[in-house]
Amino acid sequence: STPTVFHCYLYLEGDHTYSMSTNKILEQNITVPSKIKDEKGSDDSITVVKERGSDASITVEDSFHEATTSSYPPVSSEQAAATAANTIIIPSNTTVTSFSVWSKDFDDDDDSAILICDNASSLTPGSQQDQGQEDQSTISHRSIRKSTRLSVVKAVETRNSRAEKVLEELTINKLNIKSLGLVGREEEKSILNTCYERLCTASDESSSSSSGSNELVFIQGYSGIGKSVLARTMMQKQQQRGTVSSNNAVYVEGKYEFTSTDEPYSGISQAFGELCNKFQHCPDETRDKISSAIKENMKEEAYMLMSMIPEISVFLDLFADAHSTRSHGGSPGREHERWKYAFRTFTRILGSHFAPIIIMLDDIQWADVSSLDIMDYLISDVQNPHPLMIIGCYRSNEVDENSILYNRIQTLQGKHQKGSFQLTDIKLENCSIDAVNKIVMAMTGIDDESQTRDLAEICFKRTLGNPFFLIEFMRMLQTENLVEFNLIMMKWVWDVEKIENATMSAANVVDLLKGRMEKLRSDVQLLLQYAACLGSSFSIMILKYIWSEHACVKLVRATDDIDEMLEMIQEVKLVELCALDELRWVHDKVQEAALCLSDLVTPAFQCGLGMFLYQGLEEAQLEEKLFDVADLVNKGNPAGRLDVAVLNFRAAKKARKMAALSSVARYIDYGIKQLINDKWTLHRVLTLQLYSIGAEMAYALGNIPKAEEYIGIILDRDEFTPMETLPLKKMKAQILATAHLRWHEACDYGLVILKDLGYNFVWSGSLIPIQMLMAIKKIAKRVKNISIKDVENMQFMEDKNQLAVVDILKLMKHLTYSANTLPLCFLCVCKVIEMTLDHGISLCSADCCATFGGVIMFLFKDHAAASHICDLAFAFQKRSGRRHIADTMHGAWAFVLVQIKPLHEGLNLTMEGYSQGLRDGDPLDSTNCLINRFVLLPYMMGRPLETIMEEFPKIAPQLEESGIANNILTLKVWWQMMVNLQSPPMETAKRLEGDQFRQSEVTAESNMYVGNVNLAIGELLLFFGEHEERAKRLLGEEKGKTYSELVQGYPPHGIETFHRGITWYAMARKTGKRKYKTRASKVRKEIGKWVEKGNPNAKDYDLLLNAEQAVLDKKYDKANSLYKQAIVHAARIGHLSHVALYNERFAEYRLEVHRDADDFMYHMEEAIRYYAEWGAIGKADQLRQKLSKLQ
């Protein structure tokens, strides 16, 4: 009845023969699929058999040798049967106290290699008495689970480094933390799983739909609450769904640091770097496809991205075309748009091969503005057919109404409400006492919750249920032997009173972690502090460099064995390996604790460490870690140091290349702070550069007072040349126009800039129109004789002063157009063309040439000349590259080609202009092209309203992102107009008041806005048959403010002019008044000239208006023929609204003039059919009612 104690020893004898001896009888069966690796590297399966009253027998199965058996004594038949079953027989009254692995080359008392159990919960007592009072001599055989696995580990490296290191994770007396997982988060997991399933459904259906359904998930809570652990359940889901190689979901992570909030894109770049690395395991064919897509859609942008994400080189041999990495040279805002386009396009390309992509960004409360922009841009990409999930984790207690993240979340919630993507907010709270008890049970492997309740209550009281704090608290209890595993009793034991007394002073998790670290050697503690200064992840090589060159100052003698210390801090779970030469902290609280270990890490110390790295790192290392080094230096808040100014200027330039505007501004501010009183004398160039970039960034970020302050500091000094101050003067003109809306003053200042550059070209104000006409005729004559081949052979403009003049003339083109001073606008365009012909091609040549074509069309209606000029514009664009390409395409199409080419040819051209404008970072012209492609052109072509409006939810977010107010309002006005056209023609439908747009709530006064509103109201009144009300508006509030008058030459002016003519003819037929006849005839003659000049889109306009004129002239046969021709022509080109309108007008004419009810009925039914097909259901119902009354 006395307990049997089982000691097991395993000896190595020869190559593959093992023996085992025991000292007592074994009874209970336990399955043991054990493995041991011998010194030759072979994997041997060991089966141990023991029968009551006999000695042990071992069978070793080796992959290189036949099985050999050493029996002590020989194996009986019963023993052989047991061997086949792979069983160990252990008596029910047995306590396992130790397992040892021995080798004959070890000393007999050497038990460093141990046979152990790697699942603590598998050798746990079942029913026990109260802890501390249990009979240690008793243990039920039912407590030993049949799933117990005994693993044999043998150390074979050296005598001094045998099994201890390997056994750390395997010994039975360790808390089960590694496989702990999520406990008590079932509801939150369910919410996240719902998002994932929705994402996967969208991914499976993406091939048949035009866009994916993106998922944005915010997980908020206190530090250590388990946000990232919850997010990583998506990685497990992805692994279940498939791997990258099987064309399924892919999960990546990025993290932001509290020590490097100025570093741009840090978390985004980490995530995309990991994403690229995952694709290294793809088949070569897949990588080739991705490479081809990148080269085709974003070659230059790939170079940009590689400066931030070197891993992208896995797809391209980018260094072969190193010259393409040159700066694009655009404004900060333009470059920022290019970066956003690059990320969006790259994500689409990868998503086309592997979807869905899941990106987890941790600690986004520390993310820079540029990263939040990219996150916003990616998740709101409604045209991406490949679903994307972004999970953003942040500390709720560090985000308030004044934080950048809070405002961004509000913006994203607004976009979510418009249906751009799914948004889910998960808030994690501290664990309840019951959840804490479950966690404690899981760590100790105890199934009975009553046994752990008292320990759980202490843990809850000390940690408030914070999971990370709880784990560290339990680690501390084990380290201090306040909770320990009793090998005799085979269970965890503790003393509640001792824990209460010993842990009363533990204030928070940082204190616990510090306590753990303080038990390490002093040199290890110092190493931890250095590592903490380097960020959430750090280079092992740089840390070794610091240790060898800098740490010796802090220690009398710093140990040379840094590898041993690095291994030590990994073993105690403070850091973990994340790359070949990179370690990271397991949690930012660990890093925080390391920083607080002593008084060593002060701002001054960090500054000194940063300067040490700045001066000591090799150039390539410094460039890679430039932001980290600058951030370290700036923590010390130094002042008056030129080297610090240079460092920050260098960091600012690097951030500017990435278009990280907020980071640039902060580095510039740090740099300016270092400038000394005589900076203008000693450091003139550096000072000018710092203030110039500072002004540029302030303006781009909307900080107008600061921009004006920096501009004033430079312009108030006399020692600078016009070329040195040119960027600031240009910026001043832009601020006058866009910020203060003083357009005319901005134009005057632009002329001053040109005069300072030695280019004084303007006559007195009253003579500018004459000067303009003379210049236009002169340039038109010269351009007429220029061929495409001449452009191909033309040289580039190289003189800096000439390039500066051209740049300001282009700026003046925009300023004067917005100020509605068209003569000066056209004159500036002429001067750019003149300088191009005289001195060579510049970046402004192509778009100004396209604008000049529009001028020729607008003033002289010379289709042939305008078409030739547009061909030259495209030739100039081909020579100068992609820069300003959207401006060129938009100008050529909107003001020239729309009157020369069929409308449908503009669809591809404007789509190309839109996509190229995005790549060029040109939000104005790219969205101009977008509006033309998806709003104006389809409506002008008479496409179904429903088909047109299907695109509006997709393009609306892109217009909102651009921030171009005129284009945003244009979409809203036209959207509401089309919604109203589908409605019954009631009084409310005649007003622009609805869900998409409310005219009563908008106070904008731009020509574009007012013109669009008047056009939309005119369309509603025309199609609802309210000609009298329409004529009243034209003669009243709309007089001189029609679309064609306010937005001269823009595409809708054609259809607006035509529809205005129909109103005049309707009123002329109804009233017979001359004022209507005169206006109607004027419109007819104007459109007739368009057709004579070759406008292919006005043919049916001309036929219809001539039919109306024939009715007034009582030339009824001619009217009948022209009406029918107009209907046939409109039907041939598929213009649904015009076929319906023409049939309606013809039906009314046949009834009013000829009293032909049959013709009336036929054509009215045709009108109803086409109105319904167009989507004007309300209008069709109105005509049906009218028809039924006549019947």
Side-chain angles (χ1 to χ4, degrees), residues 644-715:
V644 176
V646 173
L647 170 62
N648 277 283
F649 177 61
R650 181 172 172 177
K653 288 197 297 182
K654 181 177 179 179
R656 191 187 186 285
K657 289 180 181 178
M658 298 178 177
L661 309 186
S662 297
S663 297
V664 178
R666 282 193 289 270
Y667 287 126
I668 288 294
D669 287 344
Y670 283 126
I672 289 175
K673 184 179 177 182
Q674 306 307 313
L675 298 176
I676 55 179
N677 293 332
D678 54 352
K679 53 184 175 289
W680 296 112
T681 303
L682 298 178
H683 313 297
R684 176 180 177 278
V685 175
L686 176 63
T687 303
L688 176 62
Q689 289 176 323
L690 284 170
Y691 276 109
S692 296
I693 296 178
E696 186 182 42
M697 292 304 112
Y699 173 57
L701 293 168
N703 191 346
I704 302 302
K706 192 167 193 175
E708 291 179 318
E709 176 192 349
Y710 285 172
I711 291 172
I713 289 173
I714 300 296
L715 297 186

Side-chain angles (χ1 to χ4, degrees), residues 188 404 537 562 595 635 847 938-939 987 1137:
E188 291 85 354
I404 296 172
S537 63
I562 187 173
L595 287 171
K635 287 185 190 320
D847 63 279
Y939 183 82
E987 194 62 34
S1137 60

